Amino acid sequence: MKLTGFSLQGLCMRLCVLWLLGLAGAAQAAAATPVPKVQVPGKTSKPAKAVPPPKPVLAPPAGNLVIIGGGLRTENAEVWQRIVQLAGGKGARIGVFGSASINPESAAQATVNRLNQYGAQAFAIPLGVTWPNSDYRKAAEDPETVAMIHSATGIYFTGGDQARITKALVRPDGSHSAALDAVWDVYRDGGVVAGSSAGAAIMSTTMFYDAKSTLDMLKQGVNEGHEIASGLGFIGEDVFVDQHLLVRGRFARMIPVMLKKGYQIGLGIDENTAMVVNAKRDVEIIGYSGALLLDLSAAITDRGIKGFNISNATISYLDRGDKFNLVTREFTPSPDKADNKLDPNQPDAREPVYTNDILGNNAVLDLMVNLIDNAQQDAIGIAFGNPRDFNPELGFEFRFSKTINSVGYSSTEVEAYSVLKLRMDIRPIQLQQPLYRYR
């Protein structure tokens, strides 16, 4: 049967389409109609928690760090001039915090005078827990203080007690004061942040606070709020910093802190010497001496050994003029060493290398240099204390070994070396008591 202009089959198809469209419209209407909530006896309904907005992503700092190991001499032009240069050159405005000092006003003014000798227009920032006739909490939030900091292209923290710096700049709840935020603004905008001794200790997220001797820390460990506390973290969360390193034999005290806090990389800078860290995280050594680089990324500890121990740590010495990138882990020797890589097949010495005071003044550096250009494959250093010290029978053996990755460079101009990637193992030893007898 046919209808005019239509077939029965076509009519059926049109009716099916209309039916399906009707079902879809009913579903949309049902979705738009609010469903009444069913109250469960004894319970009240709670609104869903709002999703917090994402935190703003801050760009990496565009500035530079100059981390000085303490004892910076007035005549060390290389370091002073670099600070001024990185702050913009002659006439650079550099704000000086004397906060670490017991006499912050005097300490700040002394550094201001030195910076000005090298062409800066430095000024003291009147903020410190012992600053005369001042409430440091109010000063850290004072708009005038903040404006003073913002006017600078460089910031300098003097030496003293690093806990005074953090107390002056960090609120009791752990948040940044307005003054500390301003310092970070200077750094993020391309300014330089420099610090010596205590001013270097604050550069990492963890700093030494009320530290025991190095040997006692190996014997007794480190504790939050006692030996260590939070620093200001300018160098980032992945690098631990220490200072006065070679002169005071402090390299070993870095290791228990790095293990406790999870740092793989540690940098320890010597006195009258500085590490310059740029926005690309290149580290350049300038000044009088050098820095030790500790890498614990492949290190292990043996829980079966009673007492502090570590195996397969890597230790390197970066001399003045050397560079190291914290991201790529690439090393670049100073120009006077670039073409003078030591040949392990032609060592300069063959005698055993040993010291009975590895924590002494420059002892670790002397041992590393004597080993890298030696036919011997390892060297031993011992650390022990006074017979009247705590647990006098406990000492430690430090074993340094060459591996296939160990490399040495020698300067063609002066007697200076760079030593890369020696293996270091530390384990406790039992000392005989008394250690000696009269003959």
Side-chain angles (χ1 to χ4, degrees), residues 57-68:
V57 178
L58 298 174
N64 296 270
L65 302 175
V66 180
I67 305 172
I68 306 156

Side-chain angles (χ1 to χ4, degrees), residues 86-323:
L86 292 173
K90 187 175 181 179
R93 287 183 54 79
I94 301 176
V96 178
F97 284 90
S99 311
S101 174
I102 192 67
N103 190 344
E105 190 174 19
S106 175
Q109 191 57 50
T111 300
V112 165
N113 294 340
R114 290 189 185 120
L115 287 166
N116 289 346
Q117 288 177 19
Y118 288 93
Q121 290 184 359
F123 56 92
I125 298 173
L127 173 57
V129 294
T130 56
W131 194 280
N133 305 314
S134 174
D135 182 334
Y136 70 93
R137 294 285 183 211
K138 291 182 180 178
E141 310 295 345
D142 186 355
E144 290 188 8
T145 304
V146 172
M148 186 181 296
I149 296 169
H150 276 142
S151 74
T153 53
I155 300 294
Y156 189 104
F157 291 95
T158 69
D161 182 349
Q162 52 263 33
R164 294 193 188 107
I165 300 176
T166 56
K167 186 175 182 180
L169 289 174
V170 178
R171 295 172 182 146
D173 64 1
S175 62
H176 286 193
S177 66
L180 181 53
D181 277 337
V183 173
W184 271 97
D185 288 341
V186 172
Y187 180 36
R188 288 194 182 99
D189 289 345
V192 60
V193 176
S196 179
S197 190
I202 62 169
M203 294 290 178
S204 49
T205 53
T206 302
M207 68 181 191
F208 283 106
Y209 178 67
D210 186 17
K212 301 187 287 279
S213 72
T214 297
L215 189 59
D216 282 345
M217 273 189 273
L218 293 179
K219 290 181 178 182
Q220 302 175 45
V222 295
N223 300 285
E224 294 276 1
H226 294 278
E227 288 76 29
I228 56 174
S230 296
L232 300 183
F234 294 112
I235 199 169
E237 297 182 352
D238 56 339
V239 180
F240 180 63
V241 172
D242 201 5
Q243 21 72 32
H244 294 283
L245 205 83
L246 295 171
V247 168
R248 301 187 186 180
R250 286 181 168 178
F251 77 99
R253 78 176 192 170
M254 296 173 65
I255 302 169
V257 177
M258 292 173 65
L259 290 174
K260 183 179 182 68
K261 303 298 291 185
Y263 291 100
Q264 292 187 358
I265 294 293
L267 284 169
I269 186 70
D270 199 26
E271 292 185 359
N272 203 24
T273 310
M275 300 182 290
V276 181
V277 186
N278 66 18
K280 296 180 180 179
R281 309 203 80 194
D282 292 312
V283 179
E284 179 186 2
I285 311 300
I286 63 174
Y288 175 75
S289 182
L292 284 180
L293 168 66
L294 295 175
D295 185 345
L296 305 189
S297 56
I300 58 173
T301 58
D302 187 344
R303 297 182 182 273
I305 296 177
K306 186 178 180 180
F308 174 81
N309 69 92
I310 191 169
S311 298
N312 205 34
T314 300
I315 185 168
S316 303
Y317 173 70
L318 311 179
D319 194 38
R320 58 180 297 179
D322 292 343
K323 294 180 180 180

Side-chain angles (χ1 to χ4, degrees), residues 392-393 430-436:
E393 68 278 3
Q430 188 80 18
L431 297 169
Q432 298 295 326
Q433 295 295 327
L435 192 61
Y436 60 87

